[in-house]
Amino acid sequence: MGQRRKMKQKKHIDADWAGLPDNILEVIFERLNLMDCMSISDVCKSWRRVVAQELSDCQGHGFPWLLMSGEKDKRVRTCISILPEQVWEMLLPEAYGRYCWGSYQEWLILVRDLGSYKLDIGLFNPFTRKQVDLPGEWNLNHKMVLSGPPSLENCICMLIQSDSQTLAFWVPGAQSWLQHKLDGEPFVDGVFSNGSFYLIGNDYNICEIKGANIFAAIKRVDASAPVAFHIERHYHEVTMPDEHENNGVLKYLVESCGELLLVCSGLGLNVTDRIYFSNDYAVPWWNEWDSEHLVGILNRLGLDNSGTKDWGIFSLGNKNHETLSIRFRGNRDRWGPVWFTAPQWWCCKNFTLT
């Protein structure tokens, strides 16, 4: 009896896990979250192939990445993937000589400083290698906001010039930017959500401009007429708690899962969930190409920077009071990195098997 039990214990099944039928793997993968799918795709090439096929149709979904700054004159740019925690050196000869001004999903906003306050602006997708050239502009704007991928016919690009309260719009096929002047309190940030552009003023009130109204206004503009034109807009009053400070608080609008969020950043704010960079710029209208004189300023002033090399601290909580904390290393004398999205299908196909 004891001998038979020992024989049973030695018995094992030599299964060919790499040979599982695709339909079985698809059923398994449908029950897993994204990170688990990415992890098990490293088991073997056949599993990775099935995961890649499943993710190939997931347009607009992907992983948060950071594109490092200070690499304008390099053909290879350093990217950091937050969730898989990997560093990826991406060959981007199309971005050589250009600064990254921001992003929309996987599209990068690239800028070449032409001097004399003039900029050459373009949109570039590093994963599909598609490029869209935009009309040149003066170096007076501090942010660009997109309504959607520039490959769409109804895409709208909006430039924000806070000091003069001026907006500029571009749509596919336009040969120049169309200017629009706003009234009231100067605005400090903007975002696109649910068919509208939203602009927040220093008094927390929000101006809404519908994308449909922009297209309607552009159609009314005569090509031989001045570039300034009128757009219908709506205002939303925002009431903040009495104890909420305003002085020294930076205000940002963020779109997340269809919701419009107000994010405040500043000293003295009691915020538990935070995404913080020690080299975040102090004013939102600074740009990397205007701030190269700040590189290494701490060392030039004789200040010790050796103990403050952590440039990223992520502390995100949930309803169960569980937190996700991630720290990265970097040089805070350098301009802050740019967030963008790496598509799921690309990550699955290109990350090497571990």
Side-chain angles (χ1 to χ4, degrees):
M1 189 73 172
Q3 185 71 16
R4 189 176 304 167
R5 185 178 294 116
K6 288 181 180 179
M7 292 179 64
K8 286 184 177 180
Q9 290 176 350
K10 291 181 180 179
K11 215 172 192 181
H12 67 277
I13 300 176
D14 187 15
D16 181 17
W17 298 109
L20 284 177
D22 289 0
N23 59 339
I24 299 297
L25 292 175
E26 291 171 2
V27 172
I28 296 174
F29 297 160
E30 288 175 357
R31 298 175 179 270
L32 302 177
N33 60 40
L34 177 59
M35 291 306 301
D36 288 338
C37 282
M38 291 294 294
S39 297
I40 65 174
S41 69
D42 284 343
V43 171
C44 60
K45 291 183 178 180
S46 61
W47 286 32
R48 167 162 292 196
R49 175 181 54 79
V50 176
V51 172
Q53 290 175 349
E54 289 293 301
L55 298 180
S56 61
D57 295 328
C58 296
Q59 300 296 328
H61 297 80
F63 292 95
W65 275 27
L66 291 170
L67 180 71
M68 298 303 297
S69 63
E71 299 182 338
K72 171 180 70 75
D73 295 325
K74 294 183 178 180
R75 297 184 181 276
V76 177
R77 300 290 182 98
T78 302
C79 305
I80 297 179
S81 176
I82 300 302
L83 297 182
E85 298 185 36
Q86 296 193 38
V87 176
W88 186 268
E89 300 292 338
M90 182 175 288
L91 180 63
L92 298 177
E94 299 91 341
Y96 180 79
R98 293 174 177 263
Y99 298 95
C100 186
W101 195 14
S103 70
Y104 178 85
Q105 295 179 359
E106 66 257 37
W107 287 85
L108 301 177
I109 304 171
L110 300 180
V111 169
R112 177 181 283 112
D113 186 7
L114 302 177
S116 302
Y117 302 101
K118 294 182 180 180
L119 298 178
D120 180 36
I121 309 174
L123 304 173
F124 173 61
N125 189 319
F127 308 101
T128 64
R129 321 308 282 197
K130 293 181 179 179
Q131 300 185 66
V132 176
D133 294 327
L134 303 180
E137 250 294 309
W138 295 102
N139 182 20
L140 300 173
N141 304 284
H142 76 265
K143 186 175 183 178
M144 179 187 290
V145 181
L146 278 72
S147 66
S151 53
L152 299 179
E153 293 183 357
N154 61 348
C155 172
I156 304 173
C157 296
M158 179 179 73
L159 289 175
I160 300 176
Q161 186 181 145
S162 179
D163 291 342
S164 63
Q165 297 173 260
T166 302
L167 306 176
F169 296 99
W170 176 89
V171 295
Q175 300 301 313
S176 61
W177 294 90
L178 297 177
Q179 308 291 326
H180 177 65
K181 181 76 173 179
L182 286 178
D183 303 320
E185 186 78 12
F187 45 86
V188 294
D189 195 30
V191 73
F192 185 86
S193 177
N194 295 323
S196 295
F197 288 96
Y198 293 90
L199 297 159
I200 184 169
N202 198 46
D203 57 359
Y204 291 101
N205 292 328
I206 294 176
C207 171
E208 177 186 1
I209 305 177
K210 295 184 180 297
N213 292 344
I214 296 174
F215 267 105
I218 290 176
K219 289 181 179 179
R220 294 194 299 266
V221 173
D222 187 348
S224 60
V227 294
F229 67 114
H230 175 74
I231 307 175
E232 180 182 354
R233 52 188 185 265
H234 305 277
Y235 289 91
H236 306 275
E237 184 176 351
V238 178
T239 303
M240 300 297 292
D242 294 337
E243 66 273 11
H244 194 89
E245 295 289 338
N246 191 13
N247 294 332
V249 176
L250 299 179
K251 306 164 188 70
Y252 306 91
L253 290 177
V254 179
E255 189 278 335
S256 178
C257 301
E259 297 289 337
L260 187 64
L261 306 179
L262 169 61
V263 178
C264 298
S265 173
L267 297 176
L269 290 178
N270 184 18
V271 181
T272 55
D273 294 349
R274 64 192 183 277
I275 300 176
Y276 166 77
F277 291 99
S278 63
N279 60 351
D280 272 352
Y281 37 87
V283 289
W285 48 87
W286 280 1
N287 295 309
E288 183 181 359
W289 55 89
D290 291 327
S291 307
E292 289 192 342
H293 63 285
L294 299 177
V295 175
I297 191 171
L298 294 182
N299 291 331
R300 294 199 298 272
L301 294 176
L303 300 177
D304 183 15
N305 192 33
S306 60
T308 54
K309 291 295 186 180
D310 286 325
W311 54 253
I313 301 176
F314 305 80
S315 180
L316 304 176
N318 58 24
K319 62 182 180 180
N320 297 323
H321 303 290
E322 299 171 344
T323 60
L324 167 67
S325 296
I326 306 174
R327 297 170 69 90
F328 291 94
R329 306 290 290 183
N331 184 355
R332 79 171 187 172
D333 277 338
R334 187 162 58 178
W335 190 256
V338 173
W339 291 94
F340 70 109
T341 302
Q344 296 174 3
W345 61 267
W346 188 92
C347 293
C348 191
K349 287 182 178 179
N350 288 273
F351 279 157
T352 57
L353 292 173
T354 58

